Amino acid sequence: QVQLVESGGGSVQAGGSLRLSCAASRFTYSSYCMGWFRQAPGKEREGVATIDSDGVKSYADSVKGRFTISQDNAKNTLILQMNSLKPEDTAMYYCAAGRWVGSTLNPADFGYWGRGTQVTVSS
């Protein structure tokens, strides 16, 4: 069974930075997409950033220039570096993975999910 475990969330003031990590185990697809999603209270889950097995990255417009997604294949780890954080970035952040379906930020395209890590940005 695929396991995704997030870490690195926390509380930070606006303008600060956080680094999220996702440790993936038993995920063996050669063509895949992995990414970060977030969900704030009362809102739908939305794609933040994804990366596929070819290294193609996609970002939500709201985080372009501030967030960077990367992966450490040797450690089976997905990273989200978040800089210049804003209060509107406050949400539960989830790591997700799935078979490759193209460059996508659609949560429905991902079949495996972690439990999430909370990010809170205060003004």
Side-chain angles (χ1 to χ4, degrees):
Q1 178 116 11
V2 174
Q3 281 192 321
L4 303 171
V5 180
E6 303 96 337
S7 61
S11 297
V12 65
Q13 288 193 326
S17 298
L18 284 173
R19 182 180 173 94
L20 304 184
S21 296
C22 172
S25 60
R26 295 187 282 277
F27 185 69
T28 59
Y29 296 112
S30 57
S31 295
Y32 62 84
C33 196
M34 296 187 71
W36 292 94
F37 296 77
R38 66 187 182 188
Q39 187 167 18
K43 294 188 177 182
E44 292 187 354
R45 190 168 297 188
E46 63 175 355
V48 175
T50 62
I51 185 168
D52 69 16
S53 45
D54 290 327
V56 177
K57 303 177 183 180
S58 299
Y59 293 96
D61 288 342
S62 59
V63 306
K64 284 180 181 176
R66 300 189 298 122
F67 292 9
T68 302
I69 190 170
S70 61
Q71 56 185 5
D72 183 338
N73 290 332
K75 297 181 179 180
N76 291 330
T77 301
L78 186 70
I79 304 293
L80 184 68
Q81 179 66 44
M82 304 186 294
N83 299 327
S84 302
L85 283 161
K86 303 176 180 180
E88 51 263 44
D89 294 318
T90 295
M92 183 70 79
Y93 282 69
Y94 298 90
C95 175
R99 295 177 185 268
W100 185 85
V101 294
S103 182
T104 176
L105 288 168
N106 186 351
D109 291 328
F110 294 78
Y112 302 100
W113 293 85
R115 293 188 174 185
T117 185
Q118 178 68 37
V119 171
T120 302
V121 184
S122 58
S123 58

